[in-house]
Amino acid sequence: MMDLLPQVDRSRLPRHIAIIMDGNGRWARERGEDRVYGHYEGVVSVREIVDACGELGVEYLTLYAFSAENWNRPKAEVDALMELLVNTIRKEVDDLKKNNVKLHVIGDFASLPEVCQKEMTEAMQLTGMNTGLNLVLALSYSARQELLMAARKIAEMAVSGVLAPADIDETVFQRCLDTATFPDPELMIRTSGENRISNFLLYQLAYAELYFTPVHWPDFRKQNLYEALLDYQRRERRFGKTSEQIQKNIIPDA
Ligand code: FPP
């Protein structure tokens, strides 16, 4: 395969890439293996993509590692996934530290097993001073739940009188989300041929370019990421403006 990296325009990279890592189970089944084997191999892809994003200078990478709906999977698989998460973070935290990666977690943190909470908290503390790639793991995450929690916080502020309903704007709302301090993703990648958002970052993806690939997550490596970036760079981001306005750089009402 030709190396696509030289074709990537480093001056037009997304600041934030979000990924739905799908297809681990199918990848394993196609090889006559247990689904969990696919998750193990998926971790190798995680390492490669984190590495690639760090090298490129992408500022934020959000990975959908465990959805709130994933709790409904067979207990053995849930347990294996939690164990894999804990072991991977334990094993990788030194490298994350060395590579200037700062770890964050979004989602229903309190619903995670205690050992997982402890490992994540420690890793977040150990990498807290890092200034390179922000690696955001979505764990027990549901966008609808995140939006409901934001609505609750806002209602509480309104009831207690610190916020007037008329002052609720996008900035106020955005600050009540788990992603309060992050920019919105400009690119969302989903692997394994499923063309859905599946309750992932519903508010934040409003203007994101969506990239779907049939490649299963365990096969998604650096060159696949570069391919997605090249596709992204070929698109024109209009934000509701006309093509003419973008080409002539016309700013409305200016
Ligand atoms: C989707 O494949 C994948 C998951 C639900 C888990 C993804 C998690 C990892 C790759 C491990 C994460 C580790 C770190 C450190 C971030 P699927 O099981 O839904 O596959 P299928 O659609 O083929 O069944």
Side-chain angles (χ1 to χ4, degrees):
M1 192 183 186
M2 195 175 72
D3 181 14
L4 298 173
L5 181 58
Q7 292 178 43
V8 175
D9 180 352
R10 285 163 185 258
S11 70
R12 288 196 306 126
L13 288 170
R15 290 183 67 196
H16 186 170
I17 301 174
I19 307 184
I20 301 180
M21 309 180 287
D22 201 5
N24 293 349
R26 274 164 286 170
W27 183 91
R29 282 282 175 236
E30 283 169 15
R31 283 157 183 76
E33 298 280 353
D34 192 74
R35 296 175 52 80
V36 173
Y37 178 62
H39 298 316
Y40 276 72
E41 200 58 28
V43 172
V44 182
S45 296
V46 168
R47 200 177 299 125
E48 271 217 14
I49 300 310
V50 169
D51 202 38
C53 286
E55 284 166 4
L56 282 165
V58 171
E59 292 173 58
Y60 294 84
L61 172 66
T62 299
L63 300 177
Y64 207 175
F66 194 88
S67 73
E69 292 79 15
N70 283 153
W71 291 116
N72 298 322
R73 291 196 175 189
K75 184 176 173 335
E77 187 177 345
V78 171
D79 290 349
L81 269 168
M82 287 299 147
E83 204 181 306
L84 184 60
L85 265 166
V86 169
N87 290 341
T88 304
I89 293 301
R90 195 172 286 160
K91 222 169 75 199
E92 300 289 337
V93 69
D94 286 340
D95 270 356
L96 293 177
K97 230 175 116 179
K98 243 193 347 249
N99 292 322
N100 204 16
V101 178
K102 183 171 176 172
L103 185 74
H104 309 259
V105 175
I106 60 171
D108 184 6
F109 198 71
S111 72
L112 298 170
E114 229 168 88
V115 53
C116 185
Q117 291 188 35
K118 190 170 156 277
E119 204 61 41
M120 294 297 157
T121 306
E122 265 177 41
M124 284 190 279
Q125 277 163 358
L126 285 168
T127 61
M129 298 300 279
N130 285 349
T131 55
L133 174 69
N134 289 282
L135 172 60
V136 185
L137 297 184
L139 298 178
S140 190
Y141 176 83
S142 146
R144 285 191 176 176
Q145 201 57 31
E146 180 191 32
L147 289 164
L148 289 172
M149 288 305 141
R152 255 189 222 178
K153 284 182 217 165
I154 288 169
E156 278 162 10
M157 285 193 281
V159 166
S160 69
V162 291
L163 180 70
D167 291 333
I168 301 166
D169 58 12
E170 287 192 19
T171 307
V172 168
F173 200 90
Q174 200 263 339
R175 284 193 188 138
C176 292
L177 298 170
D178 289 1
T179 52
T181 59
F182 314 150
D184 287 342
E186 296 97 330
L187 173 62
M188 196 288 289
I189 297 171
R190 180 170 191 158
T191 60
S192 207
E194 241 53 83
N195 299 354
R196 296 187 290 273
I197 304 287
S198 298
N199 207 5
F200 186 44
L201 303 174
L202 293 181
Y203 186 91
Q204 299 86 338
L205 291 176
Y207 289 104
E209 294 292 338
L210 308 180
Y211 178 83
F212 299 103
T213 169
V215 175
H216 295 320
W217 178 251
D219 285 332
F220 193 89
R221 299 294 161 91
K222 286 190 185 185
Q223 294 299 328
N224 304 92
L225 177 73
Y226 303 150
E227 213 170 355
L229 287 170
L230 289 174
D231 187 272
Y232 166 82
Q233 291 183 339
R234 278 192 294 268
R235 300 187 199 183
E236 184 185 46
R237 291 167 59 72
R238 298 220 303 261
F239 298 100
K241 294 187 211 168
T242 69
S243 198
E244 236 189 347
Q245 283 175 308
I246 298 285
Q247 275 155 26
K248 293 189 183 145
N249 200 12
I250 297 169
I251 299 148
D253 310 311

